[in-house]
Amino acid sequence: LQIAVFPNPSQSAIYISNVQKGQEILIYNTLGNCLFKTTSEESPFPVDITLLPEGVYIVRVDGIVAVRFIKTK
């Protein structure tokens, strides 16, 4: 499974492409804390990141695929 996160970096929302309906999507900070968890509905799947502080995050799909993204001001 090859997923992509765009735009990267982003201020308010990211889109996760190549996900299947029903896949678990988790967002972690660099300390390994899970900050967001949901189930995908469509591809590309939109995720609102406005409440996340500025920094680097990791998106995991079904616990195996990981992609980094950057949240900016």
Side-chain angles (χ1 to χ4, degrees):
L1 181 64
Q2 184 72 20
I3 66 166
V5 174
F6 61 93
N8 190 7
S10 180
Q11 295 178 338
S12 59
I14 58 170
Y15 295 86
I16 306 166
S17 65
N18 299 325
V19 292
Q20 305 292 320
K21 184 175 182 175
Q23 287 184 302
E24 182 179 62
I25 295 175
L26 300 108
I27 296 179
Y28 293 90
N29 63 14
T30 54
L31 299 175
N33 300 318
C34 182
L35 305 177
F36 180 83
K37 180 179 178 180
T38 191
T39 303
S40 62
E41 296 288 328
E42 58 190 323
S43 183
F45 184 71
V47 178
D48 180 355
I49 60 168
T50 54
L51 296 179
L52 293 177
E54 187 176 0
V56 176
Y57 295 89
I58 298 145
V59 174
R60 283 193 161 290
V61 177
D62 280 349
I64 52 171
V65 179
V67 175
R68 288 180 36 186
F69 75 92
I70 298 170
K71 165 68 169 31
T72 58
K73 288 185 184 181

